[in-house]
């Protein structure tokens, strides 16, 4: 490690809160699937900033839109209107088939906004007694880091020491539709879940699960909220992961890749009834729907579609999965994934995924361990077959213990 990298890490460690434990690689530049550290070493990015950089690092068309908008107008607040918000709404509605949109910034804010909104919908439209609304969530969920969101986390690290928590949530096992049905009460206003649990280690529910949840929500008149902040915008080889089961949520949350990684932009998408309960003064954000965010998001959506990234995710993802599954290694317990949302789960005896991420890093691949034993693989959706093959050679070497 150079002195420059060591100094930067030292300063971070001295002045920053230690709420992350990053690999000790200090990145300075990115382009497409690659990032470079301060020493000039190139890496293939297999995390994509937790799927925020689906379009690849520093996509030139998104950059162009950002620079052009930044030199015209960046922020007006919603006290005034701006000329980017309406086209952003139109293009996002056309892309996703939504009727109403609430623009926010981070993913957690989109989740918070959905929780607030469905509660209000429950009281005003469903007639649930005041302060009694319940939302059903799934164990091992990840929806962000705010107090209300960690109130229904089942991860001790996410919750520990942060109480008192927000009430009004019931937890059922992910993938178990019968348990969800049993948890519904007259006060249930919504279910909130990820179509594939990302942070839990790319956990794919059994076939038919989302369809059954959809049926239950329709039968019982409750709102189905899908958090597609990580799975959405092409990551799984479809625009939204719900499409794999042919279902449509009532409320869909997107974020991350909505800006291609340039800027925090998230959105709550819904039918008119649910978001229709919000009236002036009841919800908002200084930066939500600002012209810079809207211009960036418009370009990010456009390149995703125009450059065929969603189909590429399906094709390269299927190939990557098949080839990973073919690696003969006694370290590997399971390989799973959909599109370019992939994971290699190691046996506990392998000694933890982090050491393999360190070895991958030494071979030019940045990947992230999750939940101790799983290596998550989620490269930008612009990855080519040759780049997948290059990555596979390195995964093979690390997983089989061979020398590069
Ligand atoms: C499914 C899901 N929901 C919500 C979030 C929170 O998003 P943010 O970190 O932008 O608040 C994440 C982030 O990883 C996520 O994966």
């Amino acid at each position: 490690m150079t002195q420059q990298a060591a100094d930067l890490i030292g300063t971070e460690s001295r002045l920053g809160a230690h709420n992350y434990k990053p690999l000790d690689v200090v990145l300075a530049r990115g382009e497409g699937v690659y990032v470079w550290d301060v020493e000039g070493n190139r890496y293939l990015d297999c995390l994509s900033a937790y799927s925020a950089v689906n379009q690849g690092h520093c996509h030139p068309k998104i950059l162009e839109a950002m620079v052009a908008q930044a030199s015209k107008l960046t922020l007006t607040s919603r006290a005034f209107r701006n000329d980017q918000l309406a086209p952003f709404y139109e293009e996002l509605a056309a892309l996703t088939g939504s009727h109403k949109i609430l623009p926010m910034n981070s993913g957690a804010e989109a989740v918070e906004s959905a929780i607030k909104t469905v509660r209000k919908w429950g009281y005003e439209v469903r007639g649930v007694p005041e302060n009694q609304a319940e939302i059903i969530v799934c164990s091992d969920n990840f929806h962000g880091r705010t107090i209300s969101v960690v109130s229904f986390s089942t991860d001790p690290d996410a919750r520990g020491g942060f109480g008192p928590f927000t009430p009004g949530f019931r937890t059922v096992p992910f993938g178990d539709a019968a348990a969800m049905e049993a948890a519904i009460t007259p006060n249930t206003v919504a279910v909130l879940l990820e179509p594939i649990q990302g942070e839990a280690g790319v956990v794919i529910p059994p076939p038919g699960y989302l369809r059954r949840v959809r049926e239950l929500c329709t039968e019982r008149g409750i709102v189905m909220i899908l958090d597609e902040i990580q799975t959405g915008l092409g990551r799984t080889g479809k625009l939204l992961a719900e499409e794999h089961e042919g279902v449509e949520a009532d409320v869909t949350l997107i974020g991350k890749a909505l800006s291609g990684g340039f800027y925090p932009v998230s959105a709550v998408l819904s039918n008119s009834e649910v978001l229709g309960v919000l009236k002036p003064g009841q919800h908002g954000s200084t930066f939500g729907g600002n012209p810079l965010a809207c211009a960036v998001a418009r370009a990010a959506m456009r390149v995703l579609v125009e450059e065929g990234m969603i189909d590429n995710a399906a094709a390269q993802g299927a190939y990557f999965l098949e080839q990973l599954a073919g690696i003969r290694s006694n370290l590997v317990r399971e390989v799973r994934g959909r599109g370019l949302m992939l994971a290699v789960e190691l046996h506990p005896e392998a000694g933890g995924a982090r050491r393999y991420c360190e070895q991958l890093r030494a071979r030019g691949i940045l990947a992230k361990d999750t939940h101790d034993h799983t290596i998550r693989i989620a490269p930008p959706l612009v990855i080519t077959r040759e780049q997948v093959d290059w990555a596979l050679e390195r995964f093979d070497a690390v997983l089989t213990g061979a020398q590069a």
Side-chain angles (χ1 to χ4, degrees):
M1 190 185 294
T2 59
Q3 193 57 45
Q4 184 196 7
D7 287 349
L8 289 167
I9 292 169
T11 304
E12 251 191 54
S13 171
R14 188 164 46 84
L15 294 176
H18 292 186
N19 54 330
Y20 280 92
K21 189 168 176 274
L23 292 188
D24 280 337
V25 55
V26 184
L27 300 174
R29 188 162 75 83
E31 188 184 324
V33 296
Y34 296 116
V35 284
W36 286 262
D37 67 15
V38 286
E39 288 145 35
N41 299 309
R42 190 188 76 174
Y43 304 91
L44 196 156
D45 181 1
C46 277
L47 183 65
S48 307
Y50 300 97
S51 293
V53 192
N54 285 0
Q55 295 87 338
H57 289 275
C58 295
H59 192 292
K61 290 189 178 152
I62 312 176
L63 176 64
E64 193 185 319
M66 183 164 190
V67 171
Q69 187 61 41
S71 59
K72 281 199 293 195
L73 182 68
T74 57
L75 181 64
T76 57
S77 83
R78 297 288 302 280
F80 311 116
R81 299 183 191 271
N82 74 72
D83 69 355
Q84 292 298 309
L85 186 57
F88 165 69
Y89 282 160
E90 259 180 339
E91 288 160 22
L92 183 52
L95 183 67
T96 58
S98 324
H99 298 119
K100 280 239 176 276
I101 297 164
L102 172 66
M104 298 300 289
N105 310 287
S106 67
E109 270 182 301
V111 177
E112 286 275 347
S113 305
I115 292 168
K116 284 178 67 177
T117 310
V118 291
R119 283 179 166 185
K120 196 158 195 294
W121 171 87
Y123 303 130
E124 293 182 2
V125 178
R126 277 281 309 283
V128 170
E130 205 176 318
N131 294 330
Q132 301 299 308
E134 285 173 3
I135 296 172
I136 299 175
V137 297
C138 292
S139 48
D140 301 321
N141 68 70
F142 187 86
H143 297 286
R145 299 293 194 173
T146 58
I147 281 290
S148 289
V149 172
V150 301
S151 294
F152 55 87
S153 171
T154 56
D155 175 356
D157 284 341
R159 283 170 61 87
F162 297 122
F165 297 114
T166 306
F169 302 98
R170 278 176 179 247
T171 307
V172 297
F174 183 63
D176 184 343
M180 184 170 281
E181 184 170 15
I184 297 173
T185 74
N187 293 339
T188 305
V189 294
V191 302
L192 165 63
L193 67 161
E194 301 150 88
I196 295 172
Q197 290 188 326
E199 297 312 293
V202 187
V203 180
I204 304 174
Y209 173 65
L210 291 181
R211 270 199 302 282
R212 181 66 194 131
V213 172
R214 175 64 276 178
E215 281 167 13
L216 277 174
C217 290
T218 306
E219 282 163 22
R220 308 293 286 268
I222 55 187
V223 176
M224 179 178 184
I225 309 172
L226 281 183
D227 179 345
E228 295 244 21
I229 290 164
Q230 187 162 150
T231 53
L233 300 170
R235 174 54 56 192
T236 70
K238 302 269 189 198
L239 177 74
L240 297 173
E242 64 175 17
E243 293 169 40
H244 290 289
E245 289 237 329
V247 302
E248 239 182 78
D250 302 301
V251 172
T252 302
L253 310 177
I254 55 172
K256 295 190 189 270
L258 186 52
S259 72
F262 279 80
Y263 199 85
V265 187
S266 66
V268 180
L269 313 174
S270 95
N271 54 24
S272 304
E273 192 178 282
V274 176
L275 276 174
V277 302
L278 292 179
K279 299 291 178 301
Q282 295 175 348
H283 192 63
S285 152
T286 302
F287 278 82
N290 75 68
L292 186 56
C294 291
V296 166
R298 292 176 66 199
M301 289 189 276
R302 205 174 314 124
V303 301
L304 196 66
V305 174
E306 281 177 3
E307 297 182 16
M309 293 180 195
I310 305 173
D311 290 342
N312 192 56
Q316 303 310 334
Y319 175 71
F320 211 147
L321 180 64
E322 179 199 300
Q323 297 295 311
L324 276 174
I327 294 175
R328 293 279 147 252
S329 162
N330 53 15
L331 300 175
V332 177
R333 181 177 191 170
E334 190 184 39
V335 174
R336 54 180 178 265
R338 189 158 287 161
L340 282 169
M341 190 170 182
L342 303 159
V344 176
E345 185 179 333
L346 305 175
H347 287 292
E349 303 78 59
R354 173 115 181 169
R355 70 169 67 172
Y356 301 96
C357 290
E358 302 273 9
Q359 290 178 29
L360 285 165
R361 182 235 157 142
R363 289 175 158 85
I365 290 184
L366 293 184
K368 177 79 175 76
D369 52 304
T370 181
H371 287 265
D372 299 341
H373 303 297
T374 302
I375 306 171
R376 183 215 317 245
I377 307 168
L381 311 187
V382 295
I383 195 166
T384 62
R385 173 64 62 96
E386 292 68 35
Q387 289 163 340
V388 172
D389 281 330
W390 184 90
L392 281 163
E393 277 177 34
R394 272 97 199 140
F395 278 100
D396 189 300
V398 165
L399 294 171
T400 59
Q403 291 304 306

